[in-house]
Amino acid sequence: MIRPESIPHWPKGVQLREKDITDHSLKAKHEITEISGELLRHVDGKRSIQTIVSECATKHGWPEEHVLSDFLELISNLNHHYLINIQTPFHWTTFFKDRLIALFVLLRTLQGPKWETKERKTASHQSQWASLWQMIRVVTMVYGAYAIGIAFVTGILSFLLPVGGLHIPLLTAGSFLTGMIVHEYLHVWTFQKMTSRQFEVIIAIRRKAVQIVRPRADRKTEFWTSLSGPGIPVLTAFILIPLLFIVPAGELQFAIGCMAATQIVHLLSLMPFAEDGKRIIESIKPTPLPIERKKSV
Amino acid sequence: MIKSFLVGSLLLFISTVVILLGLGVYSDIQDFSSYNWSFFGITVFRYESLQPDGHLLNFGVGIIAIALIGGATNAGLRSLFTRMESRT
């Protein structure tokens, strides 16, 4: 949640200009009002929202309380569109409040963008290893809670059946996280490889989800970039599933079954309703892609 | 409101089943004799100890009642928070 003590900062590739916020990575411009511009010019990654409002209110004689609520809304909207990042200083009270809010958001008791803080990172251009390490950190941070839940459920199941000990839940959780890392990393890697690293790729992080945002490319790049992410985990599942019928019933079979289950879920990404599935269909359909339509105009 | 009710009910239902599965395992380890949990006459959960080892779990309609109560509580909280927000 964005609070008065939160510190806003501009992500890489986003620049505040005289009358707009320019997103260089996605080649987009977002117009802003004069007052918003005046407040946003104080965003430097050091000053908190409260400090910025106090400084501007004193300077221009604005009512501080009114400006604070408006500025919080503005920052919340910009963050919702991945145009500004937020950093909140750690405090135990804030930590527990945020966990409670996360529970209420999960339960849909609280709804709306103000309860969620999004983050935007630019995929590393340094090397493939730096990019992979960045993806491992991001995916573990976002899907770590799911992995713990999966380990818990698998642990109970392995006790109930009973097939093996603690290593099966750990193996299943590890398989789930590896699948997610491979999925997201391969989207980035394929796109960078096929476009010779000409464009920047953005990692959009929101509560319990990671999305790779990239500019539209030609059909071949679109097809392989969209397919490569879920493709490898699904292929792994298709290799593991026949093994279930070969290995003898017991611990190994259960472990293989759990790992196959964590990989086969990526098949959902290839369905026409999912983002990857939609892009694959767009890339093989005879109708022009959005990028091609723009060119023809 | 409907979303809050459905999500609250579903998550509470799943959590209750998972917790009761865990309770079954714990009861088996502790060698408890068979027992029954009821809620205003509606069975929630029945644990049957099998001899020489193992156990059998029976889930009753009471689990759905718990899920519905949870969903209603969640929807009520949603309504309360919305009113508080609109006042401020």
Side-chain angles (χ1 to χ4, degrees):
Chain A
M1 188 191 169
I2 298 166
R3 298 185 167 81
E5 63 268 27
S6 302
I7 300 166
H9 60 98
W10 300 109
K12 194 183 163 194
V14 177
Q15 189 192 12
L16 175 72
R17 301 205 307 185
E18 196 67 36
K19 286 178 181 170
D20 60 60
I21 297 169
T22 307
D23 188 336
H24 294 290
S25 306
L26 298 177
K27 315 266 182 275
K29 277 182 185 177
H30 306 269
E31 282 186 17
I32 49 164
T33 62
E34 209 173 303
I35 295 172
S36 302
E38 175 59 27
L39 286 159
L40 290 171
R41 256 182 282 284
H42 290 75
V43 171
D44 57 0
K46 286 172 193 158
R47 281 180 274 194
S48 68
I49 292 173
Q50 180 68 66
T51 313
I52 293 170
V53 168
S54 299
E55 281 177 14
C56 290
T58 314
K59 189 178 167 189
H60 300 283
W62 294 335
E64 194 173 322
E65 207 174 302
H66 188 74
V67 177
L68 181 64
S69 64
D70 285 353
F71 193 46
L72 275 169
E73 201 180 323
L74 171 72
I75 294 285
S76 185
N77 279 329
L78 291 174
N79 180 256
H80 184 64
H81 293 96
Y82 296 103
L83 289 167
I84 207 161
N85 282 346
I86 302 294
Q87 199 184 354
T88 305
F90 182 82
H91 194 274
W92 282 109
T93 325
T94 322
F95 176 79
F96 286 116
K97 272 184 194 169
D98 280 346
R99 297 287 80 74
L100 191 64
I101 287 170
L103 177 70
F104 279 141
V105 171
L106 177 76
L107 287 166
R108 299 292 184 274
T109 317
L110 297 173
Q111 292 172 26
K114 68 180 276 191
W115 303 108
E116 191 176 30
T117 310
K118 295 181 174 181
E119 196 181 348
R120 165 182 170 148
K121 282 178 187 282
T122 304
S124 178
H125 265 256
Q126 290 168 353
S127 71
Q128 285 170 17
W129 293 112
S131 182
L132 179 63
W133 176 236
Q134 183 188 38
M135 200 56 80
I136 291 170
R137 279 184 294 143
V138 167
V139 169
T140 312
M141 187 182 77
V142 175
Y143 295 112
Y146 283 124
I148 293 169
I150 287 170
F152 182 69
V153 173
T154 327
I156 288 178
L157 278 176
S158 64
F159 267 111
L160 281 173
L161 287 174
V163 277
L166 194 65
H167 57 283
I168 290 188
L170 290 177
L171 200 68
T172 313
S175 165
F176 166 75
L177 278 180
T178 311
M180 298 309 290
I181 292 164
V182 168
H183 183 138
E184 302 302 344
Y185 174 70
L186 282 178
H187 277 317
V188 178
W189 184 82
T190 315
F191 184 76
Q192 286 183 337
K193 190 91 179 161
M194 293 188 78
T195 55
S196 310
R197 295 177 180 258
Q198 283 177 45
F199 307 101
E200 280 192 337
V201 178
I202 291 163
I203 306 170
I205 306 160
R206 59 191 164 90
R207 185 170 277 144
K208 307 298 166 241
V210 176
Q211 197 183 356
I212 304 300
V213 184
R214 55 188 168 79
R216 291 272 178 172
D218 59 276
R219 282 169 189 275
K220 197 179 165 190
T221 311
E222 280 293 323
F223 178 79
W224 287 111
T225 306
S226 305
L227 182 68
S228 62
I232 299 297
V234 169
L235 196 68
T236 314
F238 285 150
I239 294 168
L240 289 172
I241 289 166
L243 284 179
L244 282 174
F245 301 98
I246 298 167
V247 297
E251 197 176 321
L252 183 63
Q253 192 192 44
F254 185 68
I256 292 173
C258 289
M259 286 197 294
T262 58
Q263 301 302 314
I264 201 73
V265 289
H266 294 267
L267 195 61
L268 287 174
S269 302
L270 293 172
M271 296 290 138
F273 55 80
E275 191 59 33
D276 291 334
K278 268 184 212 164
R279 287 203 175 196
I280 291 171
I281 290 171
E282 269 180 17
S283 67
I284 52 176
K285 263 199 318 198
T287 49
L289 288 175
I291 192 172
E292 291 166 343
R293 268 180 236 138
K294 256 185 203 171
K295 272 180 191 169
S296 64
V297 173
Chain B
M1 201 76 80
I2 295 167
K3 205 191 258 182
S4 309
F5 177 78
L6 290 175
V7 174
S9 303
L10 187 74
L11 286 181
L12 195 68
F13 180 80
I14 295 168
S15 317
T16 312
V17 170
V18 170
I19 290 166
L20 291 179
L21 285 173
L23 183 69
V25 174
Y26 177 75
S27 305
D28 200 351
I29 293 167
Q30 297 294 321
D31 272 337
F32 287 167
S33 53
S34 302
Y35 59 86
N36 187 52
W37 277 4
S38 303
F39 177 76
F40 289 104
I42 307 164
T43 304
V44 176
F45 170 73
R46 197 148 57 88
Y47 169 82
E48 277 178 41
S49 179
L50 300 177
Q51 294 304 328
D53 56 358
H55 64 273
L56 188 69
L57 298 179
N58 291 290
F59 295 106
V61 188
I63 283 193
I64 296 170
I66 290 174
L68 292 178
I69 291 168
T73 311
N74 198 35
L77 276 173
R78 162 94 191 122
S79 156
L80 186 74
F81 287 147
T82 313
R83 279 186 196 180
M84 278 164 67
E85 256 182 12
S86 60
R87 271 184 205 172
T88 51

